[in-house]
Amino acid sequence: MLRLDQRSGVPTYLQLVQQVEQALRLGYLKHGDQLPRVKDLVADLAINPNTVLKAYRELERRGLAAGRPGVGTFVAGTVAPIAAPERSALRRSLDRWLRSAEQAGLDDVGILALVDDALHERGSAAPPNGRRGVA
């Protein structure tokens, strides 16, 4: 479920936090679900255990997770989810747009630049980390 993008410029722990938030928004995670164990993420992503612990502490600080000693870390809060029908329709539209962008010669970096520019033009406020939900 979780992955890292070394080229993003976003700290590793924050990428994990953003991805958990995205999974909550998209309905992939819900209240009560267990997050991956620290040792599993360390093995899967080849990262330092302290990085995972920092991400989980940040999720706890945001009220989205709670650790249970000896058991694991669980989703304890929610974020405003995207309703399934809207999510499905928007995803189909986005897939068509992405195909058009690729046919126009844009790579992932170009696509992200165009999306970031469009969000900026709309006047969307950037989150505190300076990124606009790109993980």
Side-chain angles (χ1 to χ4, degrees), residues 97 106 108-127 129-134:
W97 184 86
L106 293 175
D108 288 353
V109 173
I111 289 169
L112 289 172
L114 187 57
V115 168
D116 190 59
D117 184 58
L119 288 171
H120 179 74
E121 292 265 331
R122 286 183 53 229
S124 296
N129 63 13
R131 304 282 298 176
R132 289 179 173 25
V134 178

Side-chain angles (χ1 to χ4, degrees), residues 13-91:
Y13 87 95
L14 201 49
Q15 288 185 50
L16 299 175
V17 170
Q18 290 171 345
Q19 288 178 45
V20 169
E21 287 180 337
Q22 288 173 351
L24 284 164
R25 243 178 248 297
L26 296 172
Y28 300 141
L29 285 175
K30 61 185 181 318
H31 189 275
D33 285 347
Q34 185 171 7
L35 296 176
R37 295 182 308 167
V38 172
K39 73 177 191 173
D40 293 337
L41 281 179
V42 166
D44 291 346
L45 302 175
I47 57 176
N48 188 303
N50 290 328
T51 301
V52 180
L53 292 170
K54 184 174 182 179
Y56 283 5
R57 279 193 308 272
E58 178 61 19
L59 288 165
E60 288 179 9
R61 188 190 68 73
R62 295 181 185 194
L64 298 176
R68 297 183 196 157
V71 181
T73 303
F74 294 80
V75 174
T78 60
V79 294
I82 303 168
E86 288 84 2
R87 183 178 69 231
S88 180
L90 288 168
R91 179 58 194 254

